[in-house]
Amino acid sequence: MFALVDCNNFYVSCERVFNPGLNGRPVVVLSNNDGCFISRSNEAKALGLPMGGPAFRFRKTLEAHRVALYSANFALYGDMSSRVMNTLAALAPSMEVYSIDEAFLDMTGFERIGLETYVRSIRHRVRRDTGIPVSIGLAPTKTLAKLANRMAKKNPQFEGVCILPDREAARRAMASMEVGDVWGIGRRHTEFLNLNGVRTALDLADAPPAWVRKHLHITGARVQAELNGDSCLPLELVRPPKQSICTSRSFGSAVTDEAALGQAVAHFATKCALKLRGEGELAALVTVFICTSPFEQKHRRYYGTRTASLLLATQDTLAIVRAAAAVLGDIFKPGLSYKKAGVILGGLAPVAATELRQASFFDPEPLQVQETSSKLMQALDAVNSRYGQGTLRIAADAGTGWKQRQEKLSPHYTTSWDDIIEVRVDS
DNA sequence: TCTGGGGTCCTAGGACCC
DNA sequence: TCTGGGGTCCTAGGACCC
């Protein structure tokens, strides 16, 4: 049996842990740039504020009901997430951390204690130790556990826990669920399935397998098998290494200036390089993209992107920033209002394989230079991890020609001493 | 005026190898 | 008149997830 533990309204719940006055009130957390709703309390959902809805379109509702607004505080949410995951890790023999607010647990063997009793105790423990409310779905496959979790959230009478122990229980639950709410069935497939008379999860489970395989491909076939109790998706106990690393941002106001765009790209490349070293990987490909607003009616959208191959895979910030700057020069078109830019690293390989790395015939940098670079990066990371990111940075990343909007940011309660002191003084 | 960020997997087609 | 079989790698596009 798999349990899916999912934090309720996770980002809002994190804000509430440190500000209990928010309980019972409508609360929303906004995306970067304070643009869209990315987490809503139940009270906010009841007001009709949609997931992903742009905040400016709902200003009247937000004001009329005095909805509490927060800028996304990912430092806080990431730290709260690890508290939740650490708590869960102690309560099951194995666990897969599926996302910032979800984990699958292996519940094999707990039948002897009584699954429901045990799962309720997990729920209580997480609430007690972290302050975060969770819902739990339990079933013989991951896809059915997701479905059970959704049932637990939708129906208050379940009190946060829903178990689908056998085929009959699963079929009853599937009959009441729209096919588009099944894990792995997105908007396009929902449209296609509805057109073909497949409306509920049960309809999909009972559809001819060859037809599903043909139109929804191998991933859809797996979903169908899982709905029928045939487990195809095992717990992934160790996170596989990343295949790409991306840093991108929308700008608070449009950027037209090439120099300002260059500062943003240098900043994103720097962040990517830091993440890359954190993963213990080297990158061989650097992609840069810049684009104008997709919502702008008057002008056609420009989306410029290009990838550069590095002669030798690296994790050196300077080399990656240099490569990114060169790519930017290729795709920059003057006279446009840029709304977003980003850097993506690809061709990743573990540092551990460095000795096996194929050197380049044309490589201008001998091995000694690479060793120097590695020491420089270690020093850079040591200074910044002690005194704060950005304390020591390269000149290209020093400018402020681009900015994000972030007007309602809560303190970094769990990751910054300065922010805790600020709270004490304020109150 | 104002609309997020970061990923994965699958398929098909092209180019290439022996 | 007739032209094989078995592969890999790369890229673009589509679909999905949170």
Side-chain angles (χ1 to χ4, degrees):
Chain A
M1 292 289 273
F2 296 91
L4 175 64
V5 182
D6 191 324
C7 302
N8 300 344
N9 313 333
F10 182 55
Y11 299 162
V12 164
S13 296
C14 290
E15 299 291 349
R16 280 178 166 170
V17 168
F18 295 92
N19 192 346
L22 296 173
N23 288 322
R25 284 185 60 189
V27 184
V28 298
V29 173
L30 302 170
S31 62
N32 272 334
N33 256 335
D34 297 345
C36 301
F37 306 130
I38 55 170
S39 181
R40 305 156 298 149
S41 69
N42 291 344
E43 298 81 358
K45 290 176 188 172
L47 291 175
L49 301 175
M51 186 64 175
F56 74 91
R57 284 223 185 119
F58 296 89
R59 232 185 55 202
K60 277 187 188 150
T61 310
L62 296 173
E63 282 170 6
H65 296 85
R66 301 189 47 241
V67 176
L69 299 172
Y70 282 89
S71 301
N73 183 344
F74 291 112
L76 175 66
Y77 311 148
D79 189 64
M80 290 303 289
S81 172
S82 39
R83 293 182 184 200
V84 171
M85 299 308 168
N86 287 337
T87 305
L88 290 174
L91 300 174
S94 48
M95 165 170 91
E96 172 186 341
V97 177
Y98 175 66
S99 75
I100 192 165
D101 71 334
E102 286 170 80
F104 287 102
L105 305 181
D106 177 9
M107 287 288 103
T108 312
F110 285 95
E111 292 86 354
R112 275 185 295 177
I113 312 177
L115 281 175
E116 170 144 12
T117 313
Y118 188 64
V119 166
R120 288 202 180 278
S121 78
I122 292 179
R123 192 163 172 266
H124 178 253
R125 256 305 266 291
V126 175
R127 184 65 187 254
R128 187 194 74 184
D129 291 4
T130 69
I132 300 291
V134 300
S135 300
I136 306 182
L138 217 87
T141 70
K142 282 176 153 186
T143 305
L144 286 172
K146 282 286 258 188
L147 197 144
N149 187 284
R150 200 183 167 83
M151 302 276 293
K153 278 196 173 147
K154 288 273 163 191
N155 307 296
Q157 70 271 22
F158 286 122
E159 294 179 334
V161 172
C162 172
I163 304 181
L164 303 175
D166 51 39
R167 190 166 169 78
E168 286 65 40
R171 288 185 69 82
R172 271 197 304 277
M174 285 191 287
S176 71
M177 181 160 304
E178 289 179 23
V179 72
D181 291 333
V182 172
W183 187 40
I185 304 298
R187 232 187 46 230
R188 298 303 297 268
H189 285 333
T190 301
E191 220 171 280
F192 170 81
L193 289 168
N194 284 343
L195 277 174
N196 286 276
V198 175
R199 309 208 164 272
T200 66
L202 188 59
D203 292 340
L204 178 58
D206 290 341
W211 181 81
V212 173
R213 175 66 179 85
K214 180 174 175 202
H215 295 285
L216 272 58
H217 309 129
I218 187 68
T219 40
R222 273 189 213 122
V223 170
Q224 187 187 31
E226 286 241 325
L227 287 178
N228 284 312
D230 183 3
S231 181
C232 309
L233 306 169
L235 275 194
E236 294 193 12
L237 303 181
V238 287
R239 183 172 65 74
K242 283 191 198 300
Q243 298 178 28
S244 65
I245 289 175
C246 173
T247 305
S248 72
R249 291 289 180 276
S250 297
F251 303 130
S253 51
V255 172
T256 52
D257 180 32
E258 185 170 9
L261 209 51
Q263 291 162 6
V265 166
H267 184 71
F268 303 152
T270 301
K271 285 202 141 184
C272 278
L274 180 69
K275 292 182 195 173
L276 185 67
R277 292 193 292 274
E279 293 284 318
E281 304 260 356
L282 303 169
L285 301 171
V286 179
T287 302
V288 177
F289 68 87
I290 53 177
C291 54
T292 56
S293 169
F295 303 106
E296 173 71 59
Q297 302 293 327
K298 278 174 286 186
H299 305 97
R300 250 191 61 197
R301 184 169 197 216
Y302 173 64
Y303 187 97
T305 178
R306 183 164 294 180
T307 302
S309 303
L310 301 171
L311 277 177
L312 196 61
T314 186
Q315 56 172 206
D316 183 294
T317 298
L318 299 166
I320 290 168
V321 168
R322 251 196 310 272
V327 176
L328 176 63
D330 285 344
I331 56 178
F332 178 80
K333 283 193 187 172
L336 300 180
S337 293
Y338 294 96
K339 220 19 212 163
K340 181 176 179 177
V343 173
I344 306 166
L345 301 181
L348 306 188
V351 176
T354 301
E355 290 76 18
L356 305 174
R357 204 161 38 150
Q358 174 66 58
S360 168
F361 186 68
F362 304 103
D363 189 3
E365 300 200 339
L367 284 173
Q368 294 90 317
V369 177
Q370 291 167 34
E371 272 173 37
T372 312
S373 132
S374 145
K375 284 181 185 157
L376 180 60
M377 290 304 112
Q378 280 172 29
L380 178 73
D381 291 344
V383 169
N384 284 337
S385 105
R386 177 155 178 188
Y387 297 103
Q389 286 307 320
T391 303
L392 187 58
R393 57 195 161 160
I394 61 169
D397 173 27
T400 52
W402 64 283
K403 277 197 222 77
Q404 283 190 83
R405 238 194 335 272
Q406 215 176 31
E407 289 166 358
K408 321 265 185 188
L409 187 62
S410 53
H412 295 76
Y413 296 106
T414 62
T415 54
S416 162
W417 291 112
D418 291 345
D419 281 17
I420 295 176
I421 289 159
E422 184 182 320
V423 171
R424 198 189 60 200
V425 171
D426 280 1
S427 56

